[in-house]
Amino acid sequence: MRFQSPSKIQAISLPMILTPPYKDLVAQAHNGSGKTTCFVLGMLSRVDPNKKLPQAMCICPTRELAHQNQAVLLKMGKFTGITSFLAIADSANYVPISKLPPVTDQVVIGTPGTIKKWTSARKLSTREMKILVFDEADHMLAEDGFRDDSLRIMKEIQSSSTLGCQVLLFSATFNDVVKAFVSRVVKDGNQIFVKKEELTLDKVKQYKVNCPDELAKIEVIKDKIFEFGQKVGQTIIFVQTRNSARMLHQTLSKDGYECTAVQGALKQEDRDKIIKEFKDGITKVLITTDLLARGFDQSQVNLVINFDLPVKHDFPSEPDHEVYLHRIGRTGRFGRKGAAFNLLCSDRDRMLVQKIERHFNHIIPEVEDWQSDEAFEKALKDAGLL
């Protein structure tokens, strides 16, 4: 897999994961620092390929992340004889779970709702479960996330597992509320947290682009991002709502700009197809909601555009700092260079970006003129992309 040496999080956490007595672990590390490798190796090392029943489980917030984690597991476990089962909803080939045979694969990777259905139908045994991983754990255990399902699965495994089950919680972000909750869930385990000030990504150059109005934002996408983005790799454009994703995609496509858009309202098979085309490099520009803000790994992504800044659903005047960090972390994977442009056109946008700057104690420089090719070229050169 062309690994030369472990990243910082791998060097610290792998001995903790792999050494008896197998203690629980809460691990926070920068986006793109190799967390997936840590828990995939952990799962592969603990299961017995001769036993045809589930012994390791990884729970993810989205089907896209579940697919991606399974791909890493298949690659790393290629010569082990270990098999995996993907527990995600499949509307294209829907068969009631009660009609399906029990899971005999050693590793289960999936979303909480579908995993719960499989365990409730007694088609997924948890009695031999040795290791349980929560990827994007802060989201999985947040009150407005998947906390109820996640805790139910965790309790069921801990009560039915005959051997005792190691719990691993991995994410790039843990806010104070989730951190306090996680510390109660994992009382006697190891905890690795990163100071808030150290979280912004050194390798990702962030910029502000002041635009006079929403139309000017679209002009920036057409004239600057499509123009320069093609030279530096692939681009992800983040918007706040499904409707915005649809509208921006229609506007750009109508004017002859090649791009695709993915959001939660699409059929699952359409979502899978669009993601695959982007992963295969067939499409260069992908518009998305926060569906892909977390964990989505594509090393060719060198540009992230915040068409809309991320805000908290209950308090739209407050930025969502964790989501912001996850979004810009789609570029600069594993130490590569990347750039993120925040498009601003209202006093509210400017207020949100000021709050983000204060939170991370990091001043974001401004692109001097939204219409100037030279200004964008200079920004990309400063980011090491041109």
Side-chain angles (χ1 to χ4, degrees):
M1 292 191 63
R2 299 201 298 274
F3 287 151
Q4 303 293 315
S5 58
S7 67
K8 192 174 170 187
I9 187 64
Q10 290 164 352
I12 296 169
S13 70
L14 274 167
M16 292 177 175
I17 295 168
L18 303 177
T19 312
Y22 301 110
K23 281 189 162 187
D24 295 347
L25 171 68
V26 185
Q28 179 185 15
H30 292 79
N31 287 297
S33 61
K35 293 184 290 293
T36 308
T37 298
C38 298
F39 62 73
V40 165
L41 278 176
M43 292 194 294
L44 287 169
S45 71
R46 297 289 303 284
V47 304
D48 179 352
N50 298 314
K51 286 187 176 176
K52 301 299 178 199
L53 80 175
Q55 299 158 59
M57 185 183 286
C58 174
I59 308 182
C60 317
T62 64
R63 57 189 285 113
E64 285 76 16
L65 197 48
H67 266 296
Q68 187 174 283
N69 286 342
Q70 190 194 34
V72 176
L73 184 104
L74 291 172
K75 197 172 181 184
M76 299 196 91
K78 189 174 177 181
F79 304 106
T80 60
I82 293 166
T83 62
S84 61
F85 174 74
L86 193 61
I88 58 174
D90 187 355
S91 58
N93 308 302
Y94 182 71
V95 179
I97 291 170
S98 56
K99 299 268 195 314
L100 293 167
V103 177
T104 56
D105 303 282
Q106 293 91 359
V107 181
V108 176
I109 299 174
T111 49
T114 305
I115 286 174
K116 205 162 94 296
K117 282 178 187 163
W118 277 87
T119 52
S120 303
R122 301 192 180 285
K123 296 287 184 175
L124 199 167
S125 164
T126 56
R127 70 176 188 277
E128 297 259 346
M129 204 59 73
K130 296 174 189 166
I131 185 164
L132 171 64
V133 178
F134 287 95
D135 193 10
E136 304 299 338
D138 62 324
H139 189 44
M140 304 302 292
L141 295 172
E143 276 192 271
D144 57 352
F146 299 96
R147 183 182 284 185
D148 291 349
D149 283 348
S150 297
L151 287 180
R152 204 169 287 134
I153 293 166
M154 196 191 300
K155 280 178 182 151
E156 184 177 325
I157 288 173
Q158 285 171 330
S159 63
S160 67
S161 172
T162 51
L163 309 159
C165 182
Q166 182 184 29
V167 178
L168 308 179
L169 306 174
F170 275 90
S171 185
T173 51
F174 284 98
N175 66 34
D176 292 340
V177 176
V178 176
K179 206 183 277 188
F181 178 76
V182 161
S183 297
R184 290 203 304 276
V185 173
V186 180
K187 287 193 193 72
D188 308 318
N190 294 305
Q191 298 189 4
I192 305 165
F193 288 117
V194 181
K195 289 194 188 84
K196 187 173 71 181
E197 297 74 37
E198 292 171 11
L199 272 173
T200 49
L201 306 162
D202 309 336
K203 303 285 181 195
V204 180
K205 272 283 204 185
Q206 301 161 60
Y207 297 100
K208 296 179 284 206
V209 184
N210 274 305
C211 305
D213 51 36
E214 286 282 331
L215 281 174
K217 283 188 182 184
I218 293 172
E219 291 307 311
V220 168
I221 299 281
K222 289 178 183 174
D223 298 346
K224 307 294 181 283
I225 305 312
F226 272 92
E227 178 66 29
F228 292 113
Q230 309 290 353
K231 296 177 186 173
V232 299
Q234 288 177 294
T235 301
I236 296 181
I237 302 172
F238 282 104
V239 292
Q240 193 60 20
T241 65
R242 295 168 174 185
N243 208 23
S244 307
R246 219 169 13 244
M247 301 269 285
L248 184 58
H249 182 231
Q250 282 169 358
T251 305
L252 293 171
S253 299
K254 196 172 83 224
D255 292 344
Y257 292 89
E258 259 186 69
C259 57
T260 50
V262 70
Q263 34 88 359
L266 287 178
K267 282 188 191 149
Q268 285 154 358
E269 51 268 37
D270 292 340
R271 255 165 76 170
D272 293 347
K273 180 173 176 284
I274 290 164
I275 299 291
K276 186 176 185 316
E277 285 175 356
F278 190 68
K279 286 247 182 196
D280 292 345
I282 295 165
T283 49
K284 298 289 184 208
V285 177
L286 179 64
I287 301 162
T288 181
T289 56
D290 287 327
L291 178 74
L292 296 185
R294 286 172 170 271
F296 182 68
D297 195 9
Q298 174 72 347
S299 58
Q300 282 74 38
V301 173
N302 289 330
L303 275 189
V304 165
I305 312 300
N306 282 320
F307 191 84
D308 303 312
L309 286 164
V311 293
K312 293 191 169 163
H313 294 299
D314 312 339
F315 304 102
S317 60
E318 286 300 311
D320 194 319
H321 301 114
E322 283 79 29
V323 171
Y324 177 80
L325 197 67
H326 281 281
R327 281 185 182 187
I328 66 169
R330 293 316 95 216
T331 182
R333 310 295 291 167
F334 218 84
R336 294 183 183 89
K337 291 184 164 63
F341 290 94
N342 298 293
L343 307 187
L344 320 172
C345 76
S346 63
D347 290 341
R348 177 173 168 269
D349 287 346
R350 285 181 269 281
M351 177 197 71
L352 289 170
V353 92
Q354 279 170 5
K355 287 182 176 180
I356 288 168
E357 288 176 320
R358 276 202 301 274
H359 180 83
F360 291 113
N361 196 18
H362 175 83
I363 299 298
I364 301 171
E366 194 176 320
V367 172
E368 284 168 19
D369 178 0
W370 70 276
Q371 291 176 301
S372 158
D373 283 0
E374 290 76 29
F376 276 87
E377 208 164 336
K378 181 181 182 305
L380 291 168
K381 275 182 181 159
D382 289 348
L385 293 175
L386 280 180

